[in-house]
Amino acid sequence: MKTNAPHDLATAGTRERIVRTASRLMQRQGYEGTGIKQISREAGATLGSVYHFFPGGKQELGAAAVRLGDEEFTALLRETLDAEPEPEKALPALAAFLAQGLRDSGWLDGCPVTSTVVGTASGAPGIRQAAAEAFARWRSVVAESLVAAGFAAEDAVDLSHTVIATLEGAELASQVARSEAPLEAAGRHLARLVASYR
């Protein structure tokens, strides 16, 4: 899932530049469509530096890129849910933010976690594991927010699965259609679903 947190690659350390560049490229081109040489070139780093920081090569770097996407979306999720004590109001705002990010990127920047893991799950267990941990963390953030808002713990866990799966699917549908409509509809319906549990 896209975040709008800008980062100045020129002032970042070499390892951070490599990871951020890999994350952006894999987000736009997928894991298979992104090569180590392109990452090193666009990060302004030598191939030797890439392999120094990531001796496991592209798979290790891909897992690091997924973890970066996880950290950024976790922060966005917490910020959005903490800013609005009623989850049924926060979720449409989150969906709208994701739609805005897609539109601003020319419909290129979908979820960096999903973009990287799709097509690699069986051949890159480190990337699959990093993605599984990301989805689990996002569900946990949603469930914690729902419990804090007074929802029963069991309902909060069930709803957290639906919230994350729906947003992921809607973001992909919006990206493919080049339309905010799927995310906007997802936000509205998630709000109704969550409100129905009160």
Side-chain angles (χ1 to χ4, degrees), residues 4-182:
N4 281 349
H7 298 284
D8 185 355
L9 290 179
T11 62
T14 303
R15 185 185 188 283
E16 183 182 357
R17 282 200 323 273
I18 292 168
V19 175
R20 290 196 178 284
T21 300
S23 179
R24 177 178 51 82
L25 290 172
M26 291 179 186
Q27 180 179 28
R28 292 185 169 196
Q29 303 171 176
Y31 177 82
E32 294 299 334
T34 303
I36 290 282
K37 288 182 180 177
Q38 182 187 15
I39 293 167
S40 70
R41 184 175 61 250
E42 294 200 19
T46 65
L47 272 175
S49 293
V50 175
Y51 285 106
H52 168 74
F53 289 111
F54 302 97
K58 186 176 167 183
Q59 286 193 26
E60 184 179 353
L61 180 51
V66 165
R67 285 192 291 273
L68 175 63
D70 172 13
E71 290 169 12
E72 291 185 340
F73 187 67
T74 297
L76 170 66
L77 198 52
R78 284 190 195 283
E79 180 183 334
T80 305
L81 293 172
D82 288 349
E84 174 51 68
E86 297 181 47
E88 54 268 42
K89 292 181 180 176
L91 293 172
L94 178 61
F97 184 87
L98 295 174
Q100 177 74 44
L102 271 174
R103 186 176 57 248
D104 289 349
S105 74
W107 308 101
L108 294 174
D109 295 340
C111 176
V113 172
T114 302
S115 298
T116 303
V117 77
V118 168
T120 67
S122 61
I127 294 174
R128 184 203 60 76
Q129 181 61 34
E133 290 169 2
F135 293 134
R137 191 169 357 268
W138 300 344
R139 290 192 302 267
S140 178
V141 170
V142 172
E144 288 168 12
S145 176
L146 290 170
V147 168
F151 289 75
E154 186 176 343
D155 290 340
V157 169
D158 285 349
L159 284 167
S160 73
H161 280 272
T162 302
V163 166
I164 296 303
T166 300
L167 289 174
E168 280 289 320
E171 187 172 43
L172 178 59
S174 283
Q175 186 175 19
V176 169
R178 293 177 164 258
S179 167
E180 298 162 42

Side-chain angles (χ1 to χ4, degrees), residues 150-152 155-156 158-159 192-198:
F151 289 75
D155 290 340
D158 285 349
L159 284 167
R192 291 176 191 166
L193 174 65
V194 168
S196 76
Y197 276 75
R198 286 205 179 273

